[in-house]
Amino acid sequence: DAGVIQSPRHEVTEMGQEVTLRCKPISGHDYLFWYRQTMMRGLELLIYFNNNVPIDDSGMPEDRFSAKMPNASFSTLKIQPSEPRDSAVYFCASSRPGQGKYEQYFGPGTRLTVT
Amino acid sequence: GQQVMQIPQYQHVQEGEDFTTYCNSSTTLSNIQWYKQRPGGHPVFLIQLVKSGEVKKQKRLTFQFGEAKKNSSLHITATQTTDVGTYFCAGWASNDYKLSFGAGTTVTVRA
């Protein structure tokens, strides 16, 4: 299996621009999570989906952030407009809870820099 | 809301020595997981603990879940340079599969 795939791996953009991060979960996984990691705040859960439906978006910082999962093999996290404080590593993770196993598989992450 | 605290934040270890990192939750956990993130990498699942008082071993790593299911520990014996990285505990209190991550313990090893 290829694991969780994220693109782009690195993104540098100017303040005010729209940024779209992409994620392909592991085939067969029905849970998808978006995290943000910074030195100051650590690893934060932004939103998660179950069977393509958003379940909890309480971690989404503000209305500038939105996430979609149009099908089981694709999800996007969009920031519009981007701000320097959005600079972070964004991880996507997927999971298939069942049979007592609940581990999450993380993608390589997208390092976002907003100047 | 649920909070998972982890100490120490940093651990500098002489190669060959042992160390322990601790994880404490403000609420009773259904499940606790440990992940390792190498520098520049992504979190990788190590192990899951579910039962009260559970102890699991992976080679030189020993994981323990407290009797009250509110704390956990990771003990590494005979530290090696390959142990370098940040170790996170993560838990969830209900069956919503929403993990709360601790801040992590970043381990450096002196050869």
Side-chain angles (χ1 to χ4, degrees):
Chain A
D1 199 319
V4 176
I5 299 172
Q6 290 187 247
S7 65
R9 294 292 308 275
H10 301 273
E11 177 79 36
V12 180
T13 191
E14 292 183 346
M15 181 175 63
Q17 296 298 305
E18 177 179 298
V19 176
T20 299
L21 311 181
R22 297 172 175 81
C23 174
K24 176 179 170 56
I26 292 173
S27 177
H29 283 193
D30 52 356
Y31 279 80
L32 184 139
F33 306 82
W34 281 100
Y35 292 89
R36 178 173 68 176
Q37 186 175 41
T38 61
M39 288 294 293
M40 291 297 295
R41 301 178 66 88
L43 199 57
E44 303 174 276
L45 176 65
L46 301 178
I47 185 172
Y48 78 96
F49 296 82
N50 176 217
N51 291 323
N52 314 335
V53 177
I55 303 300
D56 187 335
D57 65 354
S58 60
M60 295 286 262
E62 48 198 271
D63 292 345
R64 297 184 298 105
F65 285 69
S66 63
K68 295 181 179 180
M69 191 164 187
N71 57 63
S73 59
F74 184 66
S75 177
T76 59
L77 178 68
K78 185 177 294 185
I79 308 173
Q80 167 64 21
S82 58
E83 297 181 3
R85 60 190 168 127
D86 301 330
S87 297
V89 180
Y90 291 81
F91 289 106
C92 173
S94 71
S95 177
R96 185 183 180 186
Q99 300 180 333
K101 296 182 179 180
Y102 308 99
E103 63 263 36
Q104 296 184 11
Y105 295 83
F106 283 74
T110 295
R111 182 173 296 276
L112 174 64
T113 304
V114 183
T115 61
Chain B
Q2 177 186 325
Q3 287 191 346
V4 175
M5 309 299 291
Q6 198 170 347
I7 57 170
Q9 185 176 1
Y10 297 99
Q11 185 79 52
H12 307 289
V13 188
Q14 181 71 40
E15 189 173 18
E17 291 184 341
D18 302 353
F19 76 90
T20 303
T21 175
Y22 301 89
C23 182
N24 290 285
S25 170
S26 57
T27 58
T28 301
L29 299 172
S30 298
N31 168 307
I32 194 157
Q33 301 175 16
W34 286 87
Y35 291 77
K36 177 182 178 181
Q37 184 176 20
R38 295 184 184 274
H42 58 277
V44 175
F45 174 80
L46 293 178
I47 207 160
Q48 168 188 289
L49 302 168
V50 179
K51 299 177 182 177
S52 170
E54 189 171 14
V55 178
K56 287 188 177 181
K57 292 188 176 183
Q58 286 182 351
K59 298 182 179 179
R60 296 178 295 101
L61 278 60
T62 301
F63 304 84
Q64 188 167 8
F65 202 7
E67 293 290 339
K69 300 184 74 173
K70 296 181 73 173
N71 56 51
S72 180
S73 65
L74 161 59
H75 181 78
I76 299 182
T77 59
T79 304
Q80 300 177 0
T81 55
T82 53
D83 297 324
V84 165
T86 300
Y87 294 83
F88 293 97
C89 63
W92 41 272
S94 60
N95 292 326
D96 62 1
Y97 310 119
K98 178 180 172 182
L99 284 176
S100 292
F101 277 81
T105 294
T106 298
V107 176
T108 55
V109 179
R110 299 189 301 272

